[in-house]
């Protein structure tokens, strides 16, 4: 009889605790930020191919989680613009193919494996780029010291990272912006494939330059060893046939993969 009363009291206590938890909103996932709602986006419209959504967020939520779907349609391209530098972390869900993030207070960003295009401005000291990325339009961070570009990236824009010390480039690189690593006083190490790179140098409204011009910087200029590594890069940018092939390669990729989810004109 005593045992039955004891069990009854325990059950009542558990029931009361559960009700209190529900009333206060406390649960195991209370510390996890929820995806922002549809009303938090400045712009939502169908992508060029009509298969998903292009969305623009302009807000100040400190820990920002982008939803993978809105109105049962997948989010394919995400634009984020933080005018007050309040955003500290961003989670981009699986399924998103392109991002353009400007959040100068950004410390952490989680990128999906489905990503193929990125432009990113923040203040992060670490960046893990997914293997599926093909084009990096630009990376900017005051705190980033080491950058590894994964195999698969073909098109690489400027890097505005004043603290950058080390860069590793993959064999897959085909296009590099003419100011990719210029004026980086702290840059001490550039790692390229042993056999060198066959690349095309591009820059908006500028003449094409030699590949090694992308890597000029005080620390680099004073290092004979690094100069020798850089000189292994083939001077392919001066060959007209190479240029035509590379341009055609980029335009085909852009219109087949990026234009359907981003729209707009080619970036070169």
């Amino acid at each position: 009889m005593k045992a039955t009363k004891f069990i009854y009291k325990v059950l009542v206590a558990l029931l009361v605790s559960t009700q209190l938890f529900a009333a206060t909103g406390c649960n195991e996932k209370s510390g996890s930020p929820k995806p922002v709602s549809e009303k938090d986006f400045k712009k939502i419209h169908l992508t060029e191919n009509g298969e998903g959504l292009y969305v623009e967020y302009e807000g100040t939520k400190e820990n920002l989680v982008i939803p993978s779907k809105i109105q049962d349609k997948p989010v394919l391209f995400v634009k984020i613009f933080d005018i007050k530098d309040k955003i500290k972390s961003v989670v981009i869900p699986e399924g998103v193919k392109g991002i353009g993030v400007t959040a100068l207070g950004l410390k952490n960003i989680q990128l999906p494996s489905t990503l193929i295009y990125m432009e990113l401005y923040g203040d992060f000291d670490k960046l893990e780029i997914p293997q599926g990325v093909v084009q990096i339009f630009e990376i900017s961070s005051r705190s980033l010291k080491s950058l590894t570009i994964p195999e698969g990236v073909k098109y690489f824009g400027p890097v505005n990272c004043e603290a950058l010390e080390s860069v590793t480039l993959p064999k897959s690189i085909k296009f590099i912006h003419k100011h990719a690593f210029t004026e980086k006083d702290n840059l001490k190490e550039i790692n390229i494939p042993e056999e060198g790179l066959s690349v095309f140098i591009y820059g908006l409204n500028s003449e094409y330059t030699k590949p090694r011009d992308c890597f000029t910087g005080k620390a680099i200029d004073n290092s004979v060893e690094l100069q020798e590594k850089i000189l292994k890069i083939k001077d392919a940018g001066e060959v007209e046939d190479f240029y035509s092939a590379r341009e055609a390669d980029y335009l085909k990729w852009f219109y087949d993969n990026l234009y359907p989810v981003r729209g707009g004109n080619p970036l070169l």
Side-chain angles (χ1 to χ4, degrees):
M1 187 67 177
K2 290 183 178 180
T4 302
K5 288 184 178 180
F6 176 76
I7 293 173
Y8 175 76
K9 290 180 180 180
V10 170
L11 290 173
V12 170
L14 287 172
L15 180 60
V16 171
S17 298
T18 301
Q19 289 175 336
L20 285 173
F21 251 63
T24 57
C26 297
N27 53 61
E28 292 181 349
K29 297 182 180 180
S30 60
S32 302
K34 294 181 180 179
V36 293
S37 65
E38 178 181 345
K39 64 181 178 61
D40 292 314
F41 290 96
K42 178 184 178 182
K43 183 184 294 185
I44 299 175
H45 62 71
L46 283 174
T47 54
E48 294 291 328
N49 61 9
E51 294 179 0
L53 299 175
Y54 173 103
V55 301
E56 291 186 13
Y57 175 85
E58 195 171 296
T60 57
K61 191 175 180 65
E62 185 171 328
N63 299 305
L64 179 62
V65 179
I66 301 297
S68 59
K69 288 185 176 182
I70 296 177
Q71 296 180 352
D72 292 328
K73 293 186 181 298
V75 175
L76 297 182
F77 198 101
V78 177
K79 268 294 223 193
I80 297 171
F81 186 68
D82 177 15
I83 58 176
K84 295 185 178 180
D85 300 341
K86 297 292 186 181
I87 298 175
K88 301 301 179 186
S89 71
V90 174
V91 176
I92 306 294
E94 289 295 316
V96 171
K97 293 186 176 182
I99 63 165
V101 177
T102 301
L104 300 185
L106 182 66
K107 296 295 184 181
N108 298 289
I109 185 165
Q110 181 179 316
L111 300 173
S113 63
T114 51
L115 201 65
I116 62 171
Y117 168 88
M118 60 184 288
E119 50 185 298
L120 182 57
Y121 307 83
D123 189 26
F124 40 87
D125 56 14
K126 294 181 181 179
L127 180 63
E128 186 172 344
I129 301 172
Q131 288 286 339
V133 171
V134 179
Q135 178 164 10
I136 298 174
F137 181 67
E138 187 167 356
I139 294 176
S140 178
S141 172
R142 291 171 293 181
S143 304
L144 190 66
K145 292 185 177 181
S146 178
L147 179 63
T148 297
I149 308 301
E151 193 65 39
V153 173
K154 291 184 177 182
Y155 316 106
F156 190 71
V159 176
N160 295 310
C161 301
E162 58 193 50
L164 194 64
E165 297 177 357
S166 173
V167 176
T168 299
L169 298 176
K171 292 186 294 184
S172 57
I173 288 284
K174 301 301 180 187
F175 280 69
I176 297 180
H177 191 273
K178 66 172 293 185
H179 296 308
F181 302 109
T182 58
E183 300 178 2
K184 301 295 183 295
D185 292 349
N186 294 308
L187 188 58
K188 300 178 177 64
E189 182 180 19
I190 295 176
N191 299 301
I192 64 174
E194 189 64 32
E195 63 272 26
L197 294 172
S198 183
V199 296
F200 174 70
I201 307 306
Y202 74 93
L204 294 174
N205 301 319
S206 63
E207 294 183 0
Y208 303 112
T209 60
K210 296 181 179 180
R212 59 180 175 274
D213 291 342
C214 295
F215 306 101
T216 55
K218 292 180 181 178
I220 296 296
D221 289 341
N222 295 330
S223 170
V224 175
E225 181 181 358
L226 282 174
Q227 283 294 332
E228 288 177 350
K229 282 187 177 182
I230 292 168
L231 290 173
K232 288 181 180 179
I233 300 176
K234 299 177 184 178
D235 196 1
E238 296 179 345
V239 181
E240 185 175 353
D241 290 342
F242 182 88
Y243 161 69
S244 298
R246 287 288 173 255
E247 184 182 45
D249 176 66
Y250 173 73
L251 291 175
K252 185 178 187 308
W253 177 81
F254 180 90
Y255 284 114
D256 288 349
N257 297 279
L258 187 55
Y259 184 81
V261 299
R262 179 182 181 272
N265 296 319
L267 301 172
L268 294 183

